[in-house]
């Protein structure tokens, strides 16, 4: 029995079930979710491309002249920088998607104007945590000092690599910052003694360590999905033009669009993993079973009624 009016059936799921459920959610709400991710994701990706297009210039090819294949070297360098920036910015990409999913789960339509209002209301903590502490924005400024006239700028590019690894490891154990900021609205500093701050909520929500077990398979599936999208474009290009070469159009347009699509999928996976973590931490499933039993006992003395079926994602209404 689904007593809480939720689109997603409340029960514990394995990581593979969460990945499968994410695809079902995307199938039902894909357009809305892509639009939500694009609110912040598309502008940031456009800035990233503008910052990095110098890696594909003629001067960059001359700088990589000593490499075995200069074009391959510069394309790999560009791709690694773009993937790194997108990974660092992902929590900011996914914040509007998280807010939208929080409403869709309870069948509450959220208009674009209301979504923007909610984003504005959490703008300051989002910039501090997601843009600053979680390194979502400031690494872009490092790209301004990367020297394109040499094949590898050791100081800056190694710093970017170290920051990326450190941030990814942090997110592997504490990935739910957008949900804590956007959905639970936990303040960064306590104004009242009873306030639960962001840091306190983060410690309690991530105490079990289950998020790390979901991080690894999600990372593998994300890499495969991105590779599949890029390979699909190459195949279509080969069919239409007979060329299998990776051109500028692919790097400047197709790759950012693929990252936008993949970011939407990962945002859904993280949201469902967040729900799973709260179910285990707060006992949602047990509460619903107790409510179901209480309702069954109450219905034994009530007159029969016509059952109503509610549509859910990822489970049958019972």
């Amino acid at each position: 029995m689904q007593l809480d009016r939720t689109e997603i059936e409340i029960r514990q799921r394995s990581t593979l079930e969460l990945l499968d459920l994410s695809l079902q959610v995307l199938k039902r709400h894909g357009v809305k979710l892509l639009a939500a991710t694009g609110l912040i994701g598309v502008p940031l990706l456009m800035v990233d491309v503008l910052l990095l297009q110098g890696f594909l210039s003629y001067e960059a090819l001359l700088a990589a002249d000593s490499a075995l294949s200069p074009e391959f070297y510069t394309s790999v360098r560009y791709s690694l920088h773009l993937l790194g920036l997108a990974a660092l910015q992902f929590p900011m990409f996914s914040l509007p998607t998280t807010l939208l999913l929080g409403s869709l789960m309870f069948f509450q339509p959220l208009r674009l104007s209301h979504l923007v209002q909610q984003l504005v209301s959490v703008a300051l903590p989002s910039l501090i945590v997601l843009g600053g502490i979680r390194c979502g924005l400031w690494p872009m400024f490092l790209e301004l000092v990367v020297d394109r006239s040499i094949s590898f700028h050791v100081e800056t590019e190694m710093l970017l690599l170290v920051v990326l690894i450190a941030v990814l490891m942090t997110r592997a154990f504490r990935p739910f910052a957008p949900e804590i900021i956007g959905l639970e609205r936990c303040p960064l500093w306590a104004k009242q003694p009873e306030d639960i701050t962001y840091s306190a909520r983060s410690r309690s929500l991530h105490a079990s360590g289950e998020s790390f077990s979901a991080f690894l398979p999600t990372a593998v599936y994300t890499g495969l999905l991105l590779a599949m999208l890029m390979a699909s474009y190459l195949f279509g290009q080969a069919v239409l033009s007979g060329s299998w070469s990776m051109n500028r159009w692919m790097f400047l347009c197709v790759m950012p669009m693929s990252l936008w699509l993949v970011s939407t999928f990962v945002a859904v996976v993280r949201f469902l993993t967040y729900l799973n973590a709260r179910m285990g931490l707060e006992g949602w499933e047990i509460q619903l079973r107790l409510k179901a039993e209480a309702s069954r006992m109450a219905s034994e003395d009530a007159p029969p009624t016509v059952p109503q079926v509610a549509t859910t994602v990822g489970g049958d209404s019972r």
Side-chain angles (χ1 to χ4, degrees), residues 77-91:
R77 191 184 186 197
Y78 169 87
S79 301
L80 291 177
H81 278 254
L82 181 61
L83 291 172
L85 286 181
L88 292 172
Q89 296 163 353
F90 167 69

Side-chain angles (χ1 to χ4, degrees), residues 17 28 65 93 97 124 128 131 134 136 158 173 206 213 247 270 278 281 286 288 292:
E17 288 179 311
R28 179 171 293 190
D65 186 56
F93 287 10
T97 313
L124 181 59
I128 294 175
R134 295 287 181 112
M158 288 303 297
F173 291 97
H206 300 109
S213 62
N247 51 33
R270 193 195 59 219
R278 288 197 60 178
L281 182 66
I286 297 175
L288 287 181

Side-chain angles (χ1 to χ4, degrees), residues 27-315:
K27 181 180 178 181
R28 179 171 293 190
H29 302 295
V31 175
K32 294 179 180 178
L33 295 174
L34 284 171
T37 309
L39 282 177
I40 297 178
V42 169
L44 284 178
L45 285 171
M46 291 175 65
V47 173
D48 294 342
V49 170
L50 290 175
L51 288 173
L52 301 177
Q53 62 178 346
F55 287 124
L56 303 175
S57 64
Y58 179 71
E59 290 77 11
L61 287 173
L62 291 178
D65 186 56
S66 59
L68 185 61
S69 176
E71 290 186 355
F72 177 77
Y73 178 87
T74 54
S75 63
V76 169
R77 191 184 186 197
Y78 169 87
S79 301
L80 291 177
H81 278 254
L82 181 61
L83 291 172
L85 286 181
L88 292 172
Q89 296 163 353
F90 167 69
M92 302 197 71
F93 287 10
S94 61
L95 183 59
T97 313
T98 298
L99 295 174
L100 179 61
L101 284 169
S103 297
L104 292 177
M105 178 181 174
F106 294 98
F107 296 101
Q108 297 174 356
L110 188 64
R111 298 174 60 182
L112 178 61
S113 58
H114 295 159
L115 179 58
V116 173
Q117 290 175 3
Q118 291 191 24
L119 287 173
V120 172
S121 66
V122 297
L124 181 59
S126 299
L127 288 174
I128 294 175
V129 176
L130 305 181
I133 299 175
R134 295 287 181 112
C135 306
L137 291 178
W138 64 261
M140 290 194 302
F141 297 100
L142 292 178
E143 295 290 351
L144 296 174
V145 298
V146 175
D147 192 352
R148 272 72 167 172
S149 64
I150 57 179
S151 61
F152 188 78
H153 194 205
V154 178
E155 295 82 0
T156 308
E157 297 188 55
M158 288 303 297
L159 177 59
L160 283 170
L161 178 61
V162 170
V163 169
L164 178 61
I165 294 174
V167 170
L168 289 179
M169 291 303 298
T170 301
R171 292 179 189 169
F173 291 97
R174 296 194 171 190
F176 304 133
E179 284 76 14
I180 297 174
I181 293 174
L183 296 180
E184 301 188 18
R185 304 295 177 93
C186 294
L188 300 183
W189 301 278
K191 299 179 180 179
Q192 302 294 333
E194 65 274 8
D195 287 347
I196 302 177
T197 62
Y198 164 82
S199 58
R201 179 56 176 161
S202 180
R203 285 194 301 269
S204 64
L205 188 58
H206 300 109
S208 64
E210 294 182 1
S211 57
F212 182 75
S213 62
F215 174 82
L216 293 178
T218 302
V220 172
Y221 274 80
T222 300
L224 292 175
L225 179 58
L226 181 61
M228 181 191 71
L229 292 173
M230 301 293 289
S232 298
Y233 167 78
L234 274 179
F235 178 77
Q237 174 184 278
V239 170
L240 295 175
S241 65
S243 172
W244 288 91
S245 62
M246 301 174 69
N247 51 33
R248 288 178 62 89
W249 172 262
M250 178 175 182
F251 291 114
L252 299 180
C253 295
V254 177
M255 184 176 289
M257 290 178 63
S258 299
L259 288 171
W260 172 26
L261 295 173
V262 170
S263 297
T264 305
F265 170 73
V266 179
V268 177
V269 175
R270 193 195 59 219
F271 175 80
L272 295 178
T273 307
Y274 161 78
L275 291 182
N276 221 41
R278 288 197 60 178
M279 289 176 202
L281 182 66
E282 301 171 10
W284 284 5
E285 187 174 0
I286 297 175
Q287 292 179 24
L288 287 181
R289 289 182 180 180
L290 292 175
K291 288 181 182 179
E293 182 64 19
S295 178
R296 185 191 64 79
M297 295 175 64
S299 64
E300 291 179 353
D301 299 328
T305 57
V306 178
Q308 297 181 354
V309 178
T311 302
T312 60
V313 177

